[in-house]
Amino acid sequence: MAEKKKEEKVDNEEKEVQKQITIDDLPGVGEATAEKLRESGYEDMMTLAVASPKDLAQVSGIAEGIASKIIGAARKAADVGNFETGEEIMERRRGVTKLTTSSKALNDLLGGGIETQAISEFYGEFGSGKTQIMHQLAVDATMPVEKGGFGSHVLMIDTENTFRPERIVQMSKAKGLDPEEVLKSIHVARAYNSHHQILLGEKAAELTKEFPIRLLIVDSLTAHFRSEYMGRGTLSERQQLLNRHMHDLLKFGTIFNAAVAVTNQVTARPDVFFGDPTAPIGGNIVGHTATFRVYLRKSKAGKRIARLVDSPYLPEGEAVIQVSEDGISDIEAA
Ligand code: GTP
Ligand code: MG
């Protein structure tokens, strides 16, 4: 019995999060109205957002004036109807800048560094250097623009408890930066489960009121999702939540002209017998939303091979980087 209660509680918590994207939250939609809408097939925000007031009124029995208000609210919530002209997009794209990775080879591979208004995904097996690169990017973002940084603060969502201030100190010293100043500019939020992680992604914007955040890191993007939705027959729910989370991240990057860097693990592909039998977690959802995907492989003596995969306009290629106490660098510099 107690077990059952617990299950129900988890279920309700899940619904809590889901609720943010359901119609119940719309102003003017009470329980009875929500029920009517659902019964008439208007189950999600997008369906409502693109409905006509007349149709909605007719099928659900709601007054047309109210239907119109509900549709208006749904459009806002679903983020449709906000058109930008080509000129506006061009203007926004002009603001795109790049953040150094501290390796010239890796910067070159990425066309100059990781870009703002885009998600850069670093994936690879354990120990391939993903977390090290995230620490390095955090340090680099605090550097002045002349040095390839953003002269900004950083928000890091840490899902595996792998943020180490000691590494930030080492990397800062190696760059001749004041470690204390760097640490003060890095805001770390520990995410305890996937719902918490999603919430932090949504709340990221609030921190920009206080601090100039130009880099948002999620390390790891997929670990919680992977462990929580394993073998539960809930893959589509996982993908839906992951999709929403990634769009929140991308939105943050676009609105605040910030770079977004995420890490991802690999999983064995039972269908591949030749070549590399590993693939990043999250499948197409992650693949389509991340603008740059970098596959990291271990090599000898602290060396790592970074491969650019599926870039929209850069050629595929590889770069060799060095991971040392000083952080990320080119091999010849180490
Ligand atoms: P998971 O999160 O487990 O999937 O791995 P990851 O890809 O995040 O690995 P991470 O970035 O934590 O890399 C760990 C590796 O970086 C270690 O095995 C070391 O090889 C290297 N490393 C980490 N810290 C240091 C350091 O202070 N000095 C040196 N020389 N290497 C380090
Ligand atoms: Mg890691």
Side-chain angles (χ1 to χ4, degrees):
M1 214 39 191
E3 214 30 33
K4 184 109 209 247
K5 272 258 157 65
K6 215 171 168 188
E7 262 179 44
E8 265 173 29
K9 189 161 173 271
V10 172
D11 244 36
N12 282 337
E13 275 170 13
E14 264 178 29
K15 278 188 194 129
E16 267 307 305
V17 172
Q18 288 264 311
K19 214 174 154 191
Q20 289 161 1
I21 49 162
T22 69
I23 57 179
D24 303 65
D25 276 353
L26 294 174
V29 177
E31 223 169 281
T33 311
E35 200 53 46
K36 270 190 207 164
L37 291 174
R38 284 213 180 81
E39 275 169 12
S40 344
Y42 295 94
E43 301 214 13
D44 60 77
M45 213 60 94
M46 199 48 97
T47 320
L48 262 184
V50 297
S52 87
K54 203 170 181 168
D55 287 349
L56 187 61
Q58 227 163 34
V59 280
S60 65
I62 295 169
E64 206 175 307
I66 296 173
S68 175
K69 277 192 187 133
I70 292 174
I71 290 168
R75 285 189 181 158
K76 262 195 199 146
D79 238 349
V80 293
N82 293 326
F83 292 101
E84 275 184 300
T85 63
E87 194 187 12
E88 281 163 347
I89 294 170
M90 181 85 147
E91 191 52 40
R92 180 158 56 67
R93 294 287 311 159
R94 240 180 240 138
V96 170
T97 54
K98 309 209 174 191
L99 173 65
T100 182
T101 62
S102 283
S103 153
K104 189 176 178 302
L106 184 53
N107 287 349
D108 288 347
L109 186 71
L110 295 168
I114 69 160
E115 255 187 41
T116 60
Q117 302 183 28
I119 297 178
S120 301
E121 175 200 359
F122 292 83
Y123 72 93
E125 62 170 341
F126 69 95
S128 57
K130 303 180 294 287
T131 296
Q132 299 306 308
I133 292 177
M134 296 305 114
H135 279 68
Q136 186 69 62
L137 290 171
V139 170
D140 292 356
T142 71
M143 295 196 304
V145 176
E146 313 84 78
K147 290 193 167 169
F150 286 160
S152 80
H153 283 229
V154 178
L155 172 53
M156 185 187 275
I157 299 177
D158 179 11
T159 76
E160 302 189 293
N161 202 16
T162 50
F163 174 75
R164 293 288 173 274
E166 299 81 4
R167 288 295 284 141
I168 299 294
V169 170
Q170 288 171 333
M171 292 178 186
S172 304
K173 281 184 181 160
K175 295 253 172 204
L177 302 168
D178 178 353
E180 271 182 36
E181 283 306 311
V182 175
L183 283 171
K184 271 187 210 156
S185 308
I186 303 175
H187 307 263
V188 183
R190 178 101 163 81
Y192 293 97
N193 55 50
S194 64
H195 292 161
H196 190 196
Q197 183 179 335
I198 289 170
L199 210 71
L200 288 169
E202 286 171 358
K203 298 244 181 258
E206 284 175 21
L207 199 66
T208 62
K209 290 180 193 147
E210 264 181 277
F211 305 103
I213 312 276
R214 297 280 314 282
L215 173 64
L216 172 59
I217 293 171
V218 185
D219 184 13
S220 140
L221 175 73
T222 48
H224 280 319
F225 290 92
R226 182 193 205 182
S227 62
E228 288 167 33
Y229 292 89
M230 202 181 240
R232 276 220 269 146
T234 50
L235 199 68
S236 73
E237 192 188 347
R238 179 190 91 172
Q239 291 302 82
Q240 192 196 323
L241 290 171
L242 200 50
N243 184 34
R244 191 177 120 208
H245 181 46
M246 288 205 71
H247 278 99
D248 287 340
L249 301 178
L250 190 56
K251 197 165 154 191
F252 180 94
T254 309
I255 293 174
F256 300 105
N257 192 22
V260 180
V262 304
T263 68
N264 192 3
Q265 277 91 346
V266 288
T267 181
R269 285 180 53 175
D271 56 324
V272 174
F273 300 101
F274 302 102
D276 198 338
T278 56
I281 311 282
N284 291 337
I285 294 288
V286 176
H288 287 157
T289 319
T291 313
F292 301 96
R293 313 194 87 181
V294 178
Y295 178 32
L296 294 165
R297 295 194 321 276
K298 285 189 246 188
S299 180
K300 281 173 258 166
K303 289 189 186 63
R304 299 289 186 277
I305 301 158
R307 178 171 186 79
L308 184 69
V309 186
D310 289 343
S311 162
Y313 56 84
L314 292 166
E316 286 209 1
E318 290 191 342
V320 186
I321 58 173
Q322 179 82 38
V323 182
S324 73
E325 190 179 312
D326 288 349
I328 306 299
S329 60
D330 284 316
I331 26 176
E332 54 273 15

